[in-house]
Amino acid sequence: MPSQQEYNVAKQNGRIIHTKIYLLNHKLIKVDEISGVVLDGATFTIDATSDIRRSCSISLIPKDSSFDIKQGSKIWMDKYVQIYIGIEDIKNNNEVVYTNMGIYLVNNPTQTYSASNNTLTINGIDMMARMTGLRNGYLDGIEYQVKADSSIQGAMQSAIELAGFTKYRIDEPIIKETPNDISISIGGTVYDILSQLAEINANYQMYFDTNGVFYYNQIPSGDNEQIRVDDDIWQRNLISYDTSINFEDVKNVTEVYGKTLENGDVPYGSSIDSNPESPFYVHGELGTIRIVLQGGEYDNIYSQELAEQRADYELYLRCRLQDQITVNCVPIYWLDVNWLVEITLPNKQGIEETNQYIIKNINTTLGVNGTQSITMMKYYPFYPTKI
């Protein structure tokens, strides 16, 4: 949650924006600081559906040769950047209130020089890149195995530490042990281990937060959760909104078939949208739109319990997640994905309704005319029904 000052300055009618960038070494210890040189147009993206959850693009005006793209300079592949955006608090002696936008690996820096221009552009990606092979993460020329009936929580912890991370929070999942052997061949990555372990439990996520801490936990459904943002913020910042539904992607009945077992049985799970409040309610005018899923990644399913859990998750993706809106607003820098929010959307032609949504994607542009695009799915209590 934001501090009270962060919350207050997000409601100001006017803003004076500041930026500062900490340069960190591989141990995430601050070694230098850059301030006052970020150009308008920097972008930040947070995507709840991606394991590399946070990315950014910023442009700097280099002050001296220490910004040259070369080994030993401030901008090199052994450096990390932690970016802060600040707003002056006009009610508190113009104190700058900073929000941590995340820790990023420096990726694909570009320096453009001409008689009238000298700009350094940095693309940033979060710490997950240290495990995917994009920047480290490859296993040391060996085949890696996790035996059946191993603790998923313990195996993930071992993999994280193998990649050199010491800050993590790995929750014990619903299905606690691996249902079968997991083998990662030579040339695989730590991410390959983690993703196969994570896929055993549907509706779980793994990501790094703004302080570089790794998390593995259940994706929030909105049930019994705190409303993080309401109209007190939206009324000061909302610019416009869009609603759109791709009907081709909507499925309100999901059936999942797992891998054929040695005894010939095939794990099977099904789920149906049984919420009368949903626009995709299967017993309403919409009717039944079924999808059957098998083979490929579904061959990782080795039990009835896993199949049923996966069917529920597929219904969430193909039904619940399709009822969404995109809100455009003045940037609220401290927002994060998977937050439950409440908003009353203006409606000149009809009745204004107050509804709850879960944030799934945030795109922020920094600058005088900077805006923020927030994609949110409508919140429904999660109670799928078996066919």
Side-chain angles (χ1 to χ4, degrees):
M1 291 295 291
S3 68
Q4 188 61 52
Q5 272 194 291
E6 285 179 290
Y7 186 89
N8 292 342
V9 297
K11 296 169 59 178
Q12 290 182 174
N13 292 329
R15 297 182 180 184
I16 299 176
I17 299 173
H18 296 251
T19 59
K20 65 180 178 181
I21 301 172
Y22 290 166
L23 296 179
L24 313 177
N25 62 19
H26 70 283
K27 294 183 179 179
L28 303 186
I29 296 173
K30 178 184 172 182
V31 294
D32 207 341
E33 180 178 340
I34 305 170
S35 61
V37 294
V38 179
L39 300 178
D40 281 357
T43 59
F44 297 86
T45 297
I46 314 174
D47 186 352
T49 64
S50 173
D51 289 332
I52 297 182
R53 177 161 291 191
R54 299 174 186 274
S55 60
C56 70
S57 177
I58 58 175
S59 294
L60 315 174
I61 298 175
K63 292 183 176 180
D64 50 50
S65 61
S66 67
F67 289 85
D68 291 348
I69 304 173
K70 63 182 181 181
Q71 184 178 6
S73 75
K74 292 180 177 179
I75 308 300
W76 192 243
M77 62 192 307
D78 61 341
K79 298 293 195 307
Y80 303 87
V81 292
Q82 187 167 21
I83 303 172
Y84 292 84
I85 299 178
I87 301 174
E88 289 189 12
D89 186 348
I90 59 177
K91 293 184 178 180
N92 192 24
N93 298 318
N94 293 332
E95 176 187 351
V96 181
V97 181
Y98 282 101
T99 295
N100 178 10
M101 301 298 288
I103 296 176
Y104 304 88
L105 283 76
V106 175
N107 194 44
N108 299 333
T110 302
Q111 190 159 12
T112 302
Y113 180 80
S114 68
S116 59
N117 182 38
N118 185 16
T119 304
L120 175 65
T121 300
I122 299 171
N123 294 313
I125 48 180
D126 75 19
M127 306 293 285
M128 192 67 76
R130 279 181 51 181
M131 295 189 288
T132 63
L134 185 61
R135 186 75 57 79
N136 292 329
Y138 284 105
L139 301 172
D140 292 333
I142 59 172
E143 182 178 293
Y144 192 96
Q145 282 197 334
V146 180
K147 294 296 185 180
D149 301 321
S150 296
S151 164
I152 292 174
Q153 187 180 39
M156 293 191 83
Q157 178 177 329
S158 296
I160 285 292
E161 293 177 351
L162 185 64
F165 291 97
T166 59
K167 295 181 180 180
Y168 51 81
R169 178 175 173 176
I170 302 171
D171 290 358
E172 185 176 64
I174 295 173
I175 299 174
K176 299 176 176 56
E177 298 179 343
T178 54
N180 57 282
D181 291 347
I182 294 176
S183 297
I184 307 298
S185 59
I186 295 175
T189 65
V190 173
Y191 177 81
D192 293 333
I193 302 170
L194 291 170
S195 60
Q196 289 203 38
L197 290 167
E199 287 173 1
I200 294 171
N201 283 272
N203 206 31
Y204 272 70
Q205 60 181 349
M206 57 181 184
Y207 62 95
F208 281 88
D209 71 0
T210 56
N211 290 308
V213 179
F214 176 87
Y215 282 82
Y216 170 72
N217 52 35
Q218 195 164 21
I219 298 172
S221 67
D223 289 345
N224 300 315
E225 291 183 20
Q226 177 184 359
I227 294 174
R228 306 291 189 102
V229 185
D230 59 22
D231 287 334
D232 186 51
I233 286 289
W234 298 122
Q235 288 176 355
R236 297 294 188 97
N237 293 282
L238 180 65
I239 298 173
S240 63
Y241 69 93
D242 303 294
T243 59
S244 64
I245 298 176
N246 185 347
F247 290 151
E248 294 179 4
D249 294 336
V250 174
K251 312 296 177 190
N252 58 13
V253 175
T254 58
E255 297 184 53
V256 172
Y257 291 87
K259 183 179 180 63
T260 302
L261 306 179
E262 292 182 359
N263 62 4
D265 291 343
V266 179
Y268 170 80
S270 63
S271 194
I272 182 172
D273 187 351
S274 60
N275 189 335
E277 300 300 320
S278 168
F280 312 124
Y281 178 41
V282 77
H283 297 301
E285 295 180 359
L286 187 63
T288 298
I289 307 176
R290 184 188 309 271
I291 186 170
V292 178
L293 303 163
Q294 59 184 336
E297 62 184 288
Y298 303 101
D299 281 342
N300 292 323
I301 297 172
Y302 288 84
S303 71
Q304 187 78 12
E305 183 182 11
L306 284 172
E308 291 177 352
Q309 186 188 84
R310 186 57 182 262
D312 291 345
Y313 182 57
E314 294 292 344
L315 182 73
Y316 166 83
L317 294 177
R318 301 168 190 272
C319 193
R320 301 283 195 267
L321 200 57
Q322 303 306 316
D323 189 4
Q324 61 184 26
I325 63 168
T326 299
V327 167
N328 301 294
C329 63
V330 178
I332 306 163
Y333 299 117
W334 39 263
L335 285 184
D336 207 347
V337 292
N338 288 330
W339 280 13
L340 179 68
V341 302
E342 186 174 84
I343 185 171
T344 304
L345 297 173
N347 188 345
K348 293 182 179 180
Q349 286 75 40
I351 299 174
E352 293 184 354
E353 294 183 351
T354 301
N355 289 304
Q356 294 177 358
Y357 294 85
I358 299 175
I359 298 175
K360 287 298 171 184
N361 185 278
I362 304 172
N363 287 284
T364 306
T365 302
L366 185 65
V368 176
N369 298 313
T371 59
Q372 191 172 58
S373 174
I374 308 164
T375 300
M376 305 186 284
M377 59 170 281
K378 192 172 182 179
Y379 164 67
Y380 297 100
F382 186 64
Y383 48 87
T385 300
K386 302 306 165 192
I387 296 175

